[in-house]
Amino acid sequence: MKRFHVHLHVDDLAKNIGFYSRLFAQDPARVESDYAKWMLDDPPVNFAISTRGAAAGVDHFGIQAENAEELIALKSRAKSASLSLEDQGETSCCYSRSEKYWITDPQGVAWEHFHTLGAIPVYGASHHDALATDVAGACCSPSVSSAVKNHCCVPNTKSSTRCC
């Protein structure tokens, strides 16, 4: 079963954890100092919030595949729709190790298609260090400058990538 994914930037994590916990009638599945995630079953949604990024609001949407076969099928659909793909392969971001790629809709909204392979203890598994010293090693594409403060990049129609 695939799961819809939404990631929002918030200004006050604790306040938003309280709000969404009441809204969803359940506590987050994961809470970090800058991040929280709910894995909802009805409807099936991976809903994440973080204090990372620019302005508060929608960062990106996505579809979380349950297995590698579902991810391959999603990628095939994206290719058949002539969508430009930014394939990151296996990467670490948002406290998870995943196989992922990004597409951008006609409005410039980023969509992440991914299969989670496991949890990691930090948001970007030293991507901050990678950005400062070796941009190619980060989850961002090599075209992102080392001045970028955040670690998880998504494609953007106006430039090659936008960091969240």
Side-chain angles (χ1 to χ4, degrees), residues 90-106:
E90 190 173 320
T91 188
S92 297
C93 201
C94 303
Y95 297 99
S96 295
R97 190 173 52 82
S98 303
E99 178 78 21
K100 74 169 71 178
Y101 67 91
W102 295 90
I103 57 176
T104 305
D105 78 5

Side-chain angles (χ1 to χ4, degrees), residues 4-158:
F4 190 72
H5 171 60
V6 177
H7 185 138
L8 298 178
H9 290 295
V10 298
D11 293 328
D12 184 328
L13 191 68
K15 181 177 179 180
N16 281 277
I17 287 173
F19 172 82
Y20 287 111
S21 292
R22 289 187 301 277
L23 180 68
F24 300 144
Q26 73 181 56
D27 291 331
R30 181 156 190 172
V31 177
E32 300 293 340
S33 64
D34 59 352
Y35 178 87
K37 175 175 69 175
W38 290 259
M39 295 295 283
L40 306 173
D41 292 325
D42 186 20
V45 176
N46 169 341
F47 184 85
I49 61 176
S50 71
T51 55
R52 296 170 175 266
V58 173
D59 179 67
H60 64 271
F61 294 110
I63 298 178
Q64 179 179 9
E66 187 172 13
N67 54 49
E69 293 77 24
E70 284 184 352
L71 186 63
I72 290 167
L74 287 168
K75 186 182 258 185
S76 177
R77 255 193 262 163
K79 285 181 178 179
S80 71
S82 299
L83 297 174
S84 178
L85 286 132
E86 181 179 328
D87 194 338
Q88 290 185 314
E90 190 173 320
T91 188
S92 297
C93 201
C94 303
Y95 297 99
S96 295
R97 190 173 52 82
S98 303
E99 178 78 21
K100 74 169 71 178
Y101 67 91
W102 295 90
I103 57 176
T104 305
D105 78 5
Q107 291 71 235
V109 176
W111 281 79
E112 171 187 31
H113 288 176
F114 64 101
H115 171 225
T116 301
L117 304 171
I120 57 173
V122 294
Y123 191 86
S126 76
H127 286 135
H128 180 67
D129 296 336
L131 283 171
T133 58
D134 177 17
V135 175
C139 75
C140 300
S141 76
S143 63
V144 177
S145 78
S146 62
V148 175
K149 294 179 184 174
N150 298 295
H151 322 304
C152 189
C153 294
V154 294
N156 184 324
T157 56
K158 293 179 177 53

